[in-house]
Amino acid sequence: PIGAAEKEVPVPIIESKVGKYVTINGKECLNLATMNFLGMIGKQEIEEAAITSVLKYGVGSCGPRGFYGTIDVHLLLEEKLAQYMECEEAIIYSYGFATVASAIPAYSKRGDIIFCDEEVCYAIQKGILASRSTVYYYKHNDLDHLVELLEIQATKDRKNPKKARVTNRFLVTEGLFINTGQITNLPRLIELKQKYKFRIFLDESYSFGVLGENGRGLTEFYNVDRRNVDMIVGSMEFSLGSVGGFACGSSFVIRHQRLAGQGYVFSASLPPLHASMVLKAMDFFNKDLFSKLIENCKFAHQALEMIDTITVAGDPLSPMKHIRLIDNNSEEALREICTMARENNLALTVASYNSTELFKKEPSIRLTVNTELTEDEITSSIKSIADIIEQYISRDISQESAR
């Protein structure tokens, strides 16, 4: 049941597809909150693939992969993802969150060591917690701080070489951080890996289909050998517009998850309609599509930086832009601005975090960019946002003066 506190806050109700436009509480808005980066939601061909799949297989799989839950489209999708990512093998999960949260504890156990960026997403935090490993968090994208932690561990290892020989070391990070919109310096991490001997697990949930000439993510973006990354994890819930997640790498690494990945072993497998949707969505992948997204990201970033009442966090190439007020950047203020934006036919959202996040997050409006937006729409919507913020600040000043 909804409590009294929740009833006081009007809940935005979605009444349409979450595409370029979305109807919220009866009002059609330009969608600047969606993670549908490549515009896959609403494509007729993808919907037809889903309908065909439902007619052939039914709605659900009704079993884990090892117990009559493996369907031919699962195998086709795993093969296609492995080929696309230029890896030996891929594995798919039925839930994006569970992918990295299951993959980490499949390898790292009690007594092992994990080095991790403090701004990683909640799913990674839960995966690390489930592993019961010793974890050292380094400051966000601060690889000098990471080196300090690695040196401290190296000193401990030299003092106790017997223990060091049986201790596995991992580095877990995101390619493109949802919480900041920043990009990881992968080439430097690989240099550190070779020096300090740890394995790299890279979550590409938000960089897959975004970075790289062919959308292959961070390894393609930096033109580094994928074999230097021990495991790549991704979501099919953003650029692919479906449900589920995947992990890819060497066959030796990936096959271990088929017995040890709890989200794979004990959960019902991905509904075949979603696997069919991803297979069809990947047919739309092309260089022009990824180039269009990056152009829109840079254009929006430049336009947002012209607003002198806000700060914009995130790499210019990131489709996720975190907007904060220079003065009075409270969650309450940002939510009010989002409400005012909806009244002006713009869908924005305040970035939400779980109460058990390890590190406190500064409130922000998370504006997202996608391929379906035109430059005129980006320009006009950001101008509207600037006007709305100006209206809010003026109103806030007037209320303060009245007191």
Side-chain angles (χ1 to χ4, degrees):
I2 298 176
E6 288 84 355
K7 287 180 179 178
E8 292 176 3
V9 180
V11 179
I13 305 298
I14 306 297
E15 301 167 349
S16 68
K17 293 178 186 176
V18 188
K20 178 178 179 178
Y21 295 94
V22 59
T23 302
I24 304 174
N25 296 340
K27 199 174 191 70
E28 186 179 69
C29 300
L30 183 66
N31 196 348
L32 300 178
T34 180
M35 295 290 192
N36 180 33
F37 302 137
L38 300 179
M40 296 300 176
I41 293 176
K43 283 192 180 294
Q44 184 178 348
E45 297 90 338
I46 296 176
E47 292 179 349
E48 289 174 354
I51 293 169
T52 300
S53 179
V54 169
L55 294 175
K56 181 178 180 180
Y57 302 105
V59 175
S61 58
C62 298
R65 287 289 296 273
F67 299 92
Y68 300 103
T70 294
I71 299 171
D72 54 3
V73 288
H74 294 148
L75 304 179
L76 289 171
L77 179 54
E78 287 175 343
E79 182 181 4
K80 188 165 186 173
L81 283 166
Q83 289 176 351
Y84 193 79
M85 293 299 291
E86 297 175 344
C87 294
E88 291 180 4
E89 195 166 331
I91 183 173
I92 59 173
Y93 285 75
S94 54
Y95 180 30
F97 186 101
T99 306
V100 70
S102 297
I104 292 170
Y107 303 95
S108 187
K109 308 295 183 183
R110 187 189 299 274
D112 292 334
I113 295 171
I114 296 175
F115 298 93
C116 187
D117 191 296
E118 66 182 20
E119 286 290 353
V120 293
C121 65
Y122 192 61
I124 291 178
Q125 294 176 37
K126 293 292 101 176
I128 290 173
L129 181 65
S131 75
R132 298 176 295 177
S133 304
T134 300
V135 56
Y136 299 107
Y137 285 96
Y138 58 92
K139 296 173 185 176
H140 181 45
N141 263 352
D142 187 345
L143 300 192
D144 291 334
H145 184 220
L146 171 61
V147 170
E148 292 177 18
L149 297 177
L150 290 168
E151 283 291 345
I152 291 170
Q153 184 58 43
T155 302
K156 292 179 181 178
D157 292 343
R158 285 191 291 270
K159 291 180 179 179
N160 192 347
K162 184 177 179 180
K163 181 180 179 182
R165 282 195 295 271
V166 296
T167 301
N168 295 309
R169 296 164 193 80
F170 302 88
L171 185 138
V172 183
T173 188
E174 290 181 84
L176 178 59
F177 290 86
I178 184 176
N179 291 335
T180 67
Q182 298 292 338
I183 298 173
T184 294
N185 186 346
L186 183 59
R188 179 89 191 281
L189 288 181
I190 292 173
E191 289 177 10
L192 296 176
K193 169 190 175 178
Q194 293 167 348
K195 180 178 180 180
Y196 293 99
K197 310 303 179 187
F198 54 77
R199 297 175 175 88
I200 296 178
F201 288 177
L202 181 64
D203 188 341
E204 296 253 43
S205 292
Y206 304 96
S207 47
F208 175 76
V210 173
L211 297 178
E213 187 179 21
N214 298 286
R216 292 190 175 98
L218 213 59
T219 52
E220 183 179 55
F221 178 73
Y222 283 115
N223 193 28
V224 300
D225 192 332
R226 282 170 186 75
R227 290 174 294 183
N228 288 317
V229 178
D230 297 271
M231 183 172 64
I232 294 173
V233 178
S235 174
M236 299 185 290
E237 298 170 358
F238 308 116
S239 290
L240 289 167
S242 185
V243 172
F246 67 90
C248 57
S250 68
S251 295
F252 175 78
V253 170
I254 297 304
R255 287 178 185 176
H256 178 68
Q257 289 183 59
R258 300 193 189 276
L259 294 175
Q262 293 192 9
Y264 179 90
V265 175
F266 298 110
S267 296
S269 62
L270 183 70
L273 74 97
H274 290 296
S276 300
M277 290 170 63
V278 174
L279 283 166
K280 179 56 69 173
M282 291 183 71
D283 289 342
F284 288 96
F285 278 14
N286 63 77
K287 293 181 181 180
D288 290 340
L289 184 67
F290 303 124
S291 176
K292 171 66 173 174
L293 178 61
I294 294 301
E295 288 172 7
N296 280 357
C297 291
K298 291 191 290 187
F299 187 80
H301 196 93
Q302 186 177 22
L304 286 167
E305 286 187 323
M306 299 297 290
I307 305 175
D308 58 9
T309 52
I310 65 170
T311 61
V312 184
D315 192 279
L317 303 182
S318 169
M320 299 170 291
K321 316 293 183 183
H322 286 267
I323 300 172
R324 298 182 176 94
L325 297 175
I326 291 177
D327 298 315
N328 186 30
N329 185 59
S330 66
E331 185 170 332
E332 181 183 1
L334 296 176
R335 290 195 183 281
E336 178 61 23
I337 289 170
C338 288
T339 299
M340 294 170 67
R342 282 199 300 274
E343 293 169 358
N344 286 269
N345 302 97
L346 293 176
L348 295 174
T349 185
V350 174
S352 297
Y353 303 101
N354 194 285
S355 60
T356 58
E357 291 267 1
L358 292 176
F359 299 94
K360 186 177 180 180
K361 314 298 182 187
E362 188 179 355
S364 67
I365 292 173
R366 189 175 60 223
L367 181 148
T368 56
V369 182
N370 61 73
T371 55
E372 295 188 303
L373 297 171
T374 66
E375 286 193 358
D376 287 344
E377 287 169 334
I378 294 172
T379 300
S380 62
S381 60
I382 290 178
K383 184 182 183 303
S384 294
I385 291 170
D387 292 341
I388 290 165
I389 292 172
E390 195 64 43
Q391 290 171 24
Y392 174 81
I393 292 173
S394 299
R395 190 180 70 184
D396 194 44
I397 292 173
S398 298
Q399 290 174 348
E400 285 293 326
S401 300
R403 290 172 190 164

